[in-house]
Structures are given as C-alpha cells and as structure tokens.
Amino acid sequence: MDYEYIDRALGRTGAPPQSLETGFSPAERDELLAEALCFPERALPTGELADWAFVLMDLGKQPAVMAAVSVIETVLNETPPERADVEFANQVLAELHIWLESPQTVDDLRRLGDLWWSLTRNPPHAAHTPLGDAAFMAWYLAGYDPEGWDNPPGGPEQLRDWLAEAADNVGAVVDVFSLVQQAVGPERHWLLINSVRSAVGCWRDMDSTMR
C-alpha cells in the first residue's frame, strides 16, 4: 500500500497536517461505508472521520482497533465519570488494551471470545448508549462471536481461513465512528479526528519498526 496520502494527512512528510484525501467522492465513500455497517439503521460517520473509517477498513484490524480505542477514550474524557455506561466502556477498553499489547495468538483471541458472554448476557441497561454501543462494537472489531463460531481451531492450517471468516470484522470501525459522533456534539468532532490521527500515527511508527 502507498502510505504517502496517509502520512500527508498526519503531517509526517515535513509539511503541516492536511485533510485526508481518499481519492473517492463522498458519495462513493458513503456507498462503501454503508455496505460495511453492521447495523444498517445507524447513520454513517461524516466528514473526515468518515474518510478515516474508509481508509482503516483497508489498513486492517490492528490500526482500526487502535483508532476505535482512541476515539472511545476521547468520548470518555468528555463524559461525566458517574454515568453508568462509563464503567462498562472502561471494562471493554481494558480488555482491548490487553489484546493490543499481546502477541495476538489464538489464546489472546479466545480471551476476547470469553468476554462475549459478559457483554451480551450481563450488560447494564444503562450501557445501551452511543458510548456503550461503541465499546461493544470495538470489541467486535477486535474479536469474534463465539456463539456463532465456537473456539478457534488449534491447527495453524485451519486457523488462517477461520480468522478470515470469523474475525474479519474490520467494517465494524464504521459503526464505532458513527456511534462516537453521536456521543459528542458536532462542535467536538475535531477531537475525534485528532484521536484517530494520533492512533494511526502510532500504528505507522510501529509498522515502520517491524519492517
């Protein structure tokens, strides 16, 4: 992939950061985002956040999860800590940080699968908010549905194909961005964009050190 247009948006080319250019018109972008939404009744993200959702679907699971965690943390910073959905969101984010810092083996994926039962069986009613739903969708982005797929296979020959089906949920980043835009007012959307830029920049730094 040519990362130059991403690095230009992040200000990594020696020039100031600029708006992300995807090469697609807003209508073309939105058509593809609508196909990726897990819950079609949700509004699409708008503006540059929509452009980042579009790009992250191409970049893959790791940067998409990093960006999802970052925007949810931004919403948490704007949310009264006593609200009932805050504890739920923090619980999910704690698990996602463990996953991001892990080797991301089958065992790490199973840990996320185990979290499914508490997320789907015992979520507090007050967690059914844009923030709470964004946290749930961020978990789905990183993990998989163990009710539908059971545990990952142990054999490496089967694992690649299994992951390509069961855990190929990168489109959920569109739902996450839709929900976080609902969770904060339009006048604060720039905070979300900054947090995505920061997360993608961190991922680019990690990616370059692994080459």
Side-chain angles (χ1 to χ4, degrees):
M1 171 182 287
D2 180 7
Y3 293 116
E4 184 177 351
Y5 70 104
I6 296 172
D7 288 340
R8 283 200 302 269
L10 299 177
R12 296 165 61 96
T13 59
Q18 55 187 264
S19 296
L20 181 65
E21 296 288 344
T22 66
F24 286 76
S25 71
E28 292 170 325
R29 175 203 68 197
D30 287 352
E31 182 178 353
L32 293 168
L33 293 182
E35 292 175 1
L37 270 174
C38 296
F39 291 85
E41 71 276 9
R42 286 187 178 134
L44 291 175
T46 60
E48 189 171 339
L49 203 64
D51 291 329
W52 279 111
F54 179 80
V55 167
L56 283 161
M57 287 195 296
D58 193 35
L59 293 181
K61 180 186 289 282
Q62 180 82 11
V65 174
M66 292 174 68
V69 167
S70 185
V71 293
I72 294 168
E73 289 175 338
T74 296
V75 174
L76 282 167
N77 288 335
E78 299 290 305
T79 303
E82 66 274 10
R83 238 176 55 179
D85 54 353
V86 168
E87 181 179 358
F88 176 80
N90 278 322
Q91 174 199 1
V92 179
L93 288 186
E95 290 294 329
L96 291 178
H97 275 293
I98 290 172
W99 182 81
L100 284 169
E101 294 162 13
S102 75
Q104 297 177 17
T105 62
V106 168
D107 287 340
D108 300 311
L109 190 63
R110 283 178 177 160
R111 180 184 174 113
L112 281 182
D114 290 342
L115 181 61
W116 165 266
W117 304 107
S118 63
L119 294 183
T120 58
R121 297 297 186 268
N122 304 307
H125 180 72
H128 292 299
T129 64
L131 171 59
D133 288 345
F136 179 85
M137 294 307 301
W139 166 84
Y140 183 66
L141 171 60
Y144 69 102
D145 173 2
E147 286 188 275
W149 291 97
D150 201 10
N151 283 325
E157 312 80 28
Q158 298 85 28
L159 183 61
R160 183 185 298 272
D161 290 340
W162 186 92
L163 288 172
E165 289 191 79
D168 183 20
N169 302 321
V170 71
V173 72
V174 183
D175 293 75
V176 174
F177 284 6
S178 168
L179 289 159
V180 294
Q181 280 196 323
Q182 293 177 46
V184 298
E187 72 281 358
R188 312 295 280 170
H189 285 179
W190 64 272
L191 291 171
L192 302 173
I193 294 168
N194 284 350
S195 66
V196 173
R197 288 170 176 249
S198 176
V200 175
C202 288
W203 174 76
R204 288 287 290 124
D205 291 338
M206 292 167 46
D207 186 56
S208 62
T209 61
M210 292 188 289
R211 293 183 189 178

